[in-house]
Amino acid sequence: RKVPALGFILGDEGSGAVLGKRLVADLLKNQLRDELKEKFLTQYNITAAEIIENVYRKPFPNRYLASLSRFCAENMDNPLIAKLVYDHFDYFVKRILPQYPALPVGFIGSIAYYYQDVLKQVLADNGFQVGKILQGPMEGLKEYHKKDTVPTMENHNTYSVLTNHWVMTALW
């Protein structure tokens, strides 16, 4: 059973866009300390009004919000940021993963890769086994193709089906 991602407004749990959205919302709603808010605004040389402008009036707000999630990675030593990131992945794990068979869970993407220590902890805390965590799909494709023979006319169709399935799974 496949669970649709539904984009960053209705879903996309575990993504950089949702993490960035949560970070910005918490900062602007004074849920994080003033010094952390000031550090964020200074580091990105931005005001609250400019954030609102970028999110609501400019194209690709999901990409913009995802770019801000880097602040979390740079400030994981702050207990409030560490909790925000942990809670972000915990919500994803509890909401999405129980709908799949109990197999080791693998991830592909920069958010999973750069936050893998927290992600692994959340998975362990929720009783899930961790599979591979890759920064991008190319690593897995290279590994997959090293194991296979070069495609020939005899095995071309099977090879393509397997490759296409892996890519679709990787990008999902």
Side-chain angles (χ1 to χ4, degrees), residues 129-145:
Q129 284 187 297
V130 180
K132 290 184 179 183
I133 298 177
L134 305 175
Q135 186 173 5
M138 289 308 292
E139 287 176 68
L141 284 171
K142 287 177 187 175
E143 184 178 316
Y144 173 82
H145 288 293

Side-chain angles (χ1 to χ4, degrees), residues 37-119:
K37 180 178 180 179
E38 194 56 42
K39 181 179 181 180
F40 175 84
L41 295 174
T42 301
Q43 180 175 327
Y44 287 94
N45 192 28
I46 197 161
T47 65
E50 290 169 324
I51 292 170
I52 300 300
E53 174 77 18
N54 285 321
V55 170
Y56 290 106
R57 294 188 177 89
K58 291 191 178 176
F60 308 114
N62 56 327
R63 293 181 191 170
Y64 172 73
L65 290 167
S67 74
L68 301 179
S69 70
R70 178 175 293 185
F71 184 83
C72 292
E74 296 166 351
N75 290 280
M76 284 298 292
D77 58 333
N78 182 299
L80 296 171
I81 295 292
K83 182 177 179 348
L84 185 144
V85 172
Y86 182 95
D87 291 348
H88 173 69
F89 288 120
D90 192 54
Y91 181 73
F92 163 77
V93 167
K94 288 178 176 167
R95 183 171 171 90
I96 304 299
L97 295 186
Q99 298 182 62
Y100 290 96
L103 299 170
V105 184
F107 296 87
I108 295 178
S110 58
I111 295 298
Y113 183 79
Y114 288 110
Y115 293 99
Q116 65 181 290
D117 292 341
V118 178
L119 183 55

Side-chain angles (χ1 to χ4, degrees), residues 144 155-168:
Y144 173 82
N155 69 8
H156 177 71
N157 288 339
T158 303
Y159 185 82
S160 295
V161 170
L162 291 173
T163 303
N164 287 338
H165 174 72
W166 200 94
V167 170
M168 288 173 19

Side-chain angles (χ1 to χ4, degrees), residues 27-43:
L27 284 169
L28 297 180
K29 291 181 179 182
N30 303 314
Q31 300 299 302
L32 301 174
R33 294 197 174 113
D34 287 342
E35 60 269 12
L36 200 56
K37 180 178 180 179
E38 194 56 42
K39 181 179 181 180
F40 175 84
L41 295 174
T42 301
Q43 180 175 327

